[in-house]
Amino acid sequence: MSHGWTADLVLGGVVLAGASVQRLAGIGFALVAAPALVLLLGPAQGVLLSNAAAGAISVIGLAGGWRRVRLRAMVPLVAAAACTVPAGAWVADRLPQDVLLAGMGALVSAAVLLVAYGARLPVLRGTSGAFAAGAASGFMNSSAGVGGPAVSLYAVNADWPVREFVPNAQFYGVAVNALSLLVKGAPWLTGPAWLLATAGIAGGAVAGKALADRIPESRARRLVLLLALAGGLTTLTKGLWELTGA
């Protein structure tokens, strides 16, 4: 739970940044914002807010591209995620905060590097690959708030063009974040924090759309990955610091 207007303003700024980059690049809210939200609110509430905000910005992004969603391809991804979301929530609920911080930072950092290098993994091809990606994504989304990288890797291995990836990623984001919130419940925030988070989502949607017309997609993607890696390493460092009792 955040304390005071300063923390709430920082929270709103983090949500604004995350929403902007997702609207700009099609992915990235959780990678950019989740580590900062976890540091601000603690692992449980930070991940919950990341789930809620990422789902909301995905709904906004999907509005203009829902006709390009491959529903048949989405079925195994969403079905597998539905099976592992409860497991991720169960694990996150039982781990100490320092372990969660270190684990989340490591997951984000590793996921960013895999996506950045476009890793080609035979296990992520075909229908079995969709089930594997969905299962990994569902677990990571409910435990650490970062379900997108596994789906991004699946799309890379399936050779999806960017034009098709973005609306499908938004559709999946709506589904997996709704599942996570259904299992874990809504985040607990003060009224001002909710107000600023909502304003951040709306402002980020507008800002990201404006930036998308001016910034090349490749540059936007690099920016998302750099911000995400910085957040992941910061969270990992804090978790390790607390684990060692420094």
Side-chain angles (χ1 to χ4, degrees), residues 14-19 21 28-39 46 50 104 228:
V14 169
V15 172
L16 173 66
V21 297
F29 178 90
L31 284 172
V32 170
L37 292 177
V38 164
L39 293 177
S50 178
M104 180 180 174

Side-chain angles (χ1 to χ4, degrees), residues 90-103:
W90 185 88
V91 168
D93 191 48
R94 283 157 178 79
L95 289 179
Q97 175 168 304
D98 48 8
V99 175
L100 274 174
L101 286 172

Side-chain angles (χ1 to χ4, degrees), residues 56-219:
I57 195 65
S58 293
V59 170
I60 294 171
L62 184 61
W66 62 270
R67 289 185 178 86
R68 296 197 300 275
V69 173
R70 295 184 178 187
L71 286 176
R72 184 174 296 178
M74 289 294 101
V75 168
L77 285 165
V78 174
C83 295
T84 56
V85 160
W90 185 88
V91 168
D93 191 48
R94 283 157 178 79
L95 289 179
Q97 175 168 304
D98 48 8
V99 175
L100 274 174
L101 286 172
M104 180 180 174
L107 280 174
V108 171
S109 301
V112 169
L113 293 174
L114 285 170
V115 172
Y117 285 100
R120 293 281 176 171
L121 305 171
V123 72
L124 291 180
R125 293 176 186 156
T127 302
S128 61
F131 278 113
S137 173
F139 182 88
M140 289 177 64
N141 197 73
S142 63
S143 62
V146 284
V151 176
S152 297
L153 288 173
Y154 168 74
V156 166
N157 283 271
D159 296 318
W160 283 13
V162 172
R163 185 173 179 274
E164 290 190 21
F165 169 72
V166 171
N168 283 281
Q170 305 284 23
F171 176 87
Y172 180 80
V174 173
V176 75
N177 284 296
L179 286 168
S180 295
L181 292 171
L182 184 64
V183 169
K184 299 186 296 180
W188 194 96
L189 300 175
T190 63
W194 270 120
L195 180 65
L196 289 166
T198 302
I201 292 170
V206 173
K209 183 68 170 65
L211 289 170
D213 298 330
R214 295 172 175 79
I215 299 178
E217 183 181 298
S218 59
R219 186 176 299 174

